[in-house]
Amino acid sequence: MQPVEQRDEVEMLSLMLLIRRFEERASQQYQAQKIGGFCHLYIGQEAVVTGAIAAVRDDDYVITAYRDHAHALARGTSPDACMAELFGKETGCSRGLGGSMHFFDKQHHMYGGHAIVAAHIPLAVGLAFAIKYRGEDRVTLCFFGDGAINQGAFHEALNLAALYRLPIVFICENNLFAMGTSVQRSTSLRQIVDRAEGYDIPGEIVDGMNFREVRDKVAEIVDSIRKEPHPAFLEMRTYRYRGHSMSDPASYRTKQELEKYRLDDPITRLRAQLTREGKLTNEQFDLLDKRAKETVLAAVKFAEKSPQPPLDTLYDYTYADGATEPDRPRPVEPAQERREVAPSPSTNSP
Amino acid sequence: MREITYRQALNEALAEELERDPNVFLMGEEVAEYQGAYKVSHGLLQRFGPRRIIDTPISENGFAGLGVGAAMVGLRPIIEFMTFSFSLVAFDQVVNNAPNMFTMSGGQFNIPITFRGPNGPAHQLGATHSHATENFYASVPGLKVCAPATPRDAKGLLKTAVRDDNPVLVLEAELLYSSKGMVEPPDEELLIPLGKAEVKREGSDVSIICYAQTVPLALKVADQLEEEDISAEIVDLRSIKPLDEKTIFDSVAKTHRVVIVEQDHPFCGVGAEVCYRIQKNIFDALDAPIIRVSQEDVPMPYNERLEKAVLPNADKLIAAVKQVCYA
Ligand SMILES: Cc1ncc(C[n+]2csc(CCOP(=O)(O)OP(=O)(O)O)c2C)c(N)n1
């Protein structure tokens, strides 16, 4: 566990690059129909998760919604296991049983990957409850989108966390849209952070495109939580460059708006800061980027050649003690024509 | 053995498991200071303190989810629903999060959680408060569901549920909390396995398959039938899922006639599944079609007379038995 200040910023920049290149490659593989189901990309939001992870220890708990590839990568899940999960392979971080929206990695304290909007926020409060129950000094980071804050689960969870004074940072990744619904059209507040005030939880707005600001804010709050457990709320102002999911052309927003945010790109920004301070040359940056691309390409190769989960393990992951119903049918190979009737990615909604 | 109430039996089970394992805690509405809406947790706050006996606000979705999260990192929560009718507000946590986590994580996160509380119609509580939820939950892969009818089964099954590494629902019989029965003394460990039915009364002419609140009804009816020279065997399922096929089939092989009396609704009810399994596996043993007695397929009326008409009762059960016996 490295103390926060010493986490190398160049290393964090290279993590941001890895996330971006991973997502670009995932997009390409999705279009090539190597990846099924829904797939939500994180491109544009990289500073939020890298900044937050840079501010915590390896044994702190992390949990998020379905836009989760970056959170697993940032926690240390191998790009191979992440890509293999997208491919539905046995070597995936959830053995191919979770998919894009359900990345889990117990070893790296990544508690998912949850696809019912806001349903994981009570779980996060449970993780924080366990920390306090055991008298540990860990912290839970709970990420969610702006769309989650109008769900009952969100409100119940915030109230419980405040009531029991649990060690948790609620991190709202406000990318201005929940699918096609802008925050103005969903939320009866001037700013999201005001939700926290209703539960007497301290809250702040953070520039989510600025790695350093995210890291420093999270570090400050985590520090205070470790001294005396309490919940906190951070509204990260950020932006997703791509559509909500692979099938979304994002016609509900203007090109100009997207361009405005692209100019404020989190990777470009940290790169410029480091370059200005003489900590990074152009050659070094190019090398980092090249390495990220190579890592991701290798992950695709790994995923491609990995085996499918064996059919005879179908019933192995339903009950922890292997309990099964006596009447269970024997798993059979699905009919071949299934592939032909599979919907094309463009018709695949949420 | 000594005689205690169903409520006391549950209370003992909770106390023993809290005592045994520091990872066990009890959470729910009014479980601590109020001593339990139905007094099942009576005295536990005084004995185990507020760290482990935890009152919540009225937030079923929130605290059920809190339990699932705590279970992900190895605690063993017992989540009390004031009644299972209110668990519907937490349906997402019970159905989506608790049982799916183990699969979705490729086996990394099992959820050792117990959801418990009263279930099934009570007296004149109207449609919102009278749900028998066993068939909803039993249809979800990854959940285990039991519905004890006696103090002994209540204690033994609840203790087993707390020790199980999966999400288990203990559906307590709201109307039976004050009923009494013989239970092993407290110094004797009582664990009743999930997935084991019990023949509560032996008989030779007809098998009456029942669980929870329909068990006392079936036993009473068996007495009446005896006077008419019909010998009924009473099979108490105890666990809805996993289902004990063997005990059911053994009984049917002996009597060749079956009535299922259940406390849920007829459409896709527990009895439908039991019925399917019997005909599929031992069709040749049957001498008559199986008949199910359940609630009527209507939301529960408040009016007492109408409520009685909706519920399974002795008259309906006796009529069903006679129908299968004289078929
Ligand atoms: C309970 C529920 N309702 C609806 C959906 C469909 N859905 C998936 S993502 C989404 C938008 C959520 O947006 P937000 O929380 O802002 O996260 P972002 O996509 O911006 O990361 C919706 C409506 C869902 N998954 N769960």
Side-chain angles (χ1 to χ4, degrees):
Chain A
M1 280 164 279
Q2 276 176 305
V4 171
E5 324 75 62
Q6 285 166 25
R7 277 223 184 162
D8 190 351
E9 289 185 325
V10 174
E11 200 183 298
M12 288 295 125
L13 179 66
S14 109
L15 174 59
M16 280 158 86
L17 281 166
L18 174 68
I19 293 168
R20 179 150 312 175
R21 300 307 175 214
F22 182 94
E23 296 291 62
E24 287 169 354
R25 198 48 85 175
S27 166
Q28 182 219 33
Q29 294 297 308
Y30 191 88
Q31 263 138 12
Q33 300 197 21
K34 293 288 172 66
I35 298 171
F38 300 146
C39 185
H40 311 83
L41 305 180
Y42 197 69
I43 297 174
Q45 302 181 204
E46 293 90 345
V48 178
V49 80
T50 41
I53 296 295
V56 298
R57 299 192 317 228
D58 291 343
D59 67 338
D60 288 321
Y61 296 157
V62 171
I63 184 167
T64 188
Y66 49 85
R67 200 178 294 285
D68 59 349
H69 311 165
H71 302 73
L73 289 168
R75 262 283 110 172
T77 310
S78 80
D80 285 359
C82 291
M83 194 61 81
E85 189 58 35
L86 296 181
F87 278 57
K89 296 301 182 71
E90 197 191 15
T91 52
C93 58
S94 305
R95 276 183 216 260
L97 305 182
S100 165
M101 304 191 287
H102 308 113
F103 278 20
F104 288 86
D105 186 347
K106 188 174 192 171
Q107 186 201 339
H108 291 100
H109 296 293
M110 163 66 178
Y111 294 89
H114 298 270
I116 300 298
V117 171
H120 69 293
I121 307 179
L123 304 191
V125 171
L127 297 174
F129 174 89
I131 294 171
K132 189 164 176 180
Y133 188 90
R134 293 181 166 134
E136 299 168 340
D137 71 343
R138 297 180 215 245
V139 171
T140 296
L141 299 184
C142 173
F143 296 85
F144 50 89
D146 46 274
I149 67 162
N150 300 311
Q151 275 281 39
F154 165 88
H155 289 269
E156 295 185 22
L158 258 68
N159 185 53
L160 289 168
L163 203 60
Y164 301 146
R165 294 201 66 74
L166 301 179
I168 182 166
V169 191
F170 296 104
I171 299 179
C172 180
E173 304 199 46
N174 178 7
N175 59 17
L176 310 185
F177 288 94
M179 292 183 73
T181 305
S182 68
V183 175
Q184 292 95 302
R185 292 205 297 126
S186 70
T187 303
S188 65
L189 282 175
R190 212 168 37 80
Q191 45 188 29
I192 285 174
V193 70
D194 294 343
R195 278 271 191 271
E197 206 181 310
Y199 299 100
D200 207 13
I201 293 175
E204 277 187 72
I205 294 173
V206 181
D207 178 358
M209 304 304 263
N210 184 342
F211 167 82
R212 286 178 174 173
E213 188 177 326
V214 173
R215 178 199 55 197
D216 294 347
K217 257 301 158 256
V218 175
E220 184 191 317
I221 280 165
V222 164
D223 194 44
S224 123
I225 293 175
R226 284 204 217 282
K227 288 191 188 109
E228 174 73 49
H230 65 84
F233 190 101
L234 294 176
E235 177 190 342
M236 303 282 181
R237 295 266 169 95
T238 184
Y239 203 75
R240 67 168 151 74
Y241 296 175
R242 299 294 185 95
H244 164 71
S245 66
M246 292 302 299
S247 61
D248 169 26
S251 49
Y252 42 82
R253 58 188 196 189
T254 63
K255 260 210 154 67
Q256 290 90 313
E257 183 178 290
L258 175 59
E259 280 320 307
K260 189 186 103 192
Y261 282 98
R262 272 187 196 277
L263 287 176
D264 200 18
D265 185 77
I267 294 178
T268 314
R269 212 151 140 183
L270 182 57
R271 176 189 180 179
Q273 284 163 335
L274 290 168
T275 310
R276 212 178 310 123
E277 292 159 12
K279 294 175 184 158
L280 183 78
T281 64
N282 285 341
E283 293 71 45
Q284 281 168 324
F285 179 84
D286 290 344
L287 189 64
L288 293 180
D289 197 22
K290 185 162 166 272
R291 268 203 224 128
K293 286 175 178 161
E294 284 166 3
T295 305
V296 171
L297 215 52
V300 171
K301 292 232 168 68
F302 173 83
E304 238 158 18
K305 68 174 202 303
S306 287
Q308 306 273 356
L311 266 185
D312 62 7
T313 61
L314 185 60
Y315 281 87
D316 291 354
Y317 300 102
T318 303
Y319 293 98
D321 50 1
T324 48
E325 282 288 296
D327 208 35
R328 78 181 206 200
R330 275 176 52 82
V332 286
E333 190 72 51
Q336 258 335 94
E337 67 269 12
R338 215 180 139 266
R339 264 223 155 284
E340 287 154 40
V341 299
S344 76
S346 56
T347 59
N348 221 354
S349 216
Chain B
M1 301 278 255
R2 73 248 137 87
E3 192 172 57
I4 59 173
T5 65
Y6 190 98
R7 174 185 289 107
Q8 279 170 303
L10 291 165
N11 182 273
E12 278 184 9
L14 292 172
E16 287 175 21
E17 293 310 295
L18 284 155
E19 188 67 60
R20 184 186 59 80
D21 184 349
N23 285 323
V24 174
F25 66 92
L26 173 68
M27 175 175 264
E29 290 156 20
E30 310 291 1
V31 298
E33 304 210 352
Y34 192 84
Q35 308 288 310
Y38 293 85
K39 306 296 173 227
V40 170
S41 56
H42 185 83
L44 297 181
L45 172 67
Q46 286 67 22
R47 183 158 162 206
F48 296 99
R51 176 172 165 268
R52 303 186 62 204
I53 310 297
I54 305 150
D55 278 328
T56 66
I58 305 161
S59 304
E60 285 82 2
N61 188 2
F63 66 75
L66 186 160
V68 175
M72 285 181 87
V73 286
L75 296 187
R76 305 185 81 89
I78 303 172
I79 300 296
E80 173 171 318
F81 291 121
M82 195 179 276
T83 87
F84 265 91
S85 286
F86 311 147
S87 77
L88 302 183
V89 175
F91 206 61
D92 184 45
Q93 295 298 341
V94 181
V95 170
N96 241 333
N97 280 344
N100 284 348
M101 211 66 72
F102 187 64
T103 301
M104 291 195 306
S105 67
Q108 293 177 84
F109 293 104
N110 64 300
I111 306 296
I113 195 169
T114 303
F115 295 109
R116 51 155 291 272
N119 172 65
H123 282 144
Q124 282 199 276
L125 300 182
T128 58
H129 279 52
S130 301
H131 286 287
T133 59
E134 54 270 24
N135 57 332
F136 311 166
Y137 290 122
S139 73
V140 179
L143 293 179
K144 297 183 181 182
V145 180
C146 64
T150 64
R152 182 173 184 274
D153 291 342
K155 180 172 179 184
L157 284 167
L158 177 53
K159 280 167 65 80
T160 300
V162 174
R163 298 183 192 195
D164 200 284
D165 284 333
N166 303 283
V168 183
L169 277 62
V170 180
L171 307 178
E172 298 162 7
E174 178 156 350
L175 291 176
L176 301 180
Y177 275 136
S178 298
S179 67
K180 289 187 176 165
M182 301 304 281
V183 180
E184 281 81 345
D187 54 4
E188 222 172 280
E189 188 81 286
L190 175 61
L191 292 166
I192 293 175
L194 290 155
K196 285 270 173 282
E198 187 179 65
V199 175
K200 287 281 195 286
R201 175 191 168 121
E202 305 240 359
S204 53
D205 297 332
V206 57
S207 300
I208 301 180
I209 298 172
C210 51
Y211 61 89
Q213 293 177 178
T214 63
V215 175
L217 169 66
L219 287 168
K220 191 179 81 181
V221 162
D223 285 342
Q224 280 173 251
L225 289 169
E226 199 174 339
E227 289 165 20
E228 301 184 39
D229 272 344
I230 298 173
S231 162
E233 175 145 303
I234 306 302
V235 181
D236 174 3
L237 294 178
R238 302 200 291 193
S239 289
I240 308 296
K241 191 179 196 178
L243 189 67
D244 180 1
E245 288 188 342
K246 183 167 187 310
T247 303
I248 297 171
F249 296 167
D250 286 351
S251 177
V252 176
K254 185 163 91 175
T255 65
H256 311 293
R257 295 164 199 274
V258 185
V259 172
I260 302 166
V261 55
E262 57 200 295
Q263 60 177 10
D264 60 3
H265 288 106
F267 198 91
C268 298
V270 167
E273 178 68 24
V274 175
C275 188
Y276 163 75
R277 301 220 187 171
I278 293 171
Q279 63 79 31
K280 174 170 176 267
N281 290 284
I282 51 165
F283 185 77
D284 289 343
L286 288 173
D287 282 348
I290 299 169
I291 293 187
R292 293 170 59 207
V293 178
S294 67
Q295 287 190 45
E296 301 299 322
D297 205 4
V298 294
M300 186 64 81
Y302 160 72
N303 175 276
E304 191 174 19
R305 189 158 146 260
L306 292 182
E307 183 181 61
K308 281 198 175 124
V310 167
L311 293 172
N313 59 33
D315 291 345
K316 292 183 195 180
L317 185 51
I318 289 169
V321 168
K322 289 187 175 169
Q323 201 179 328
V324 301
C325 285
Y326 307 140

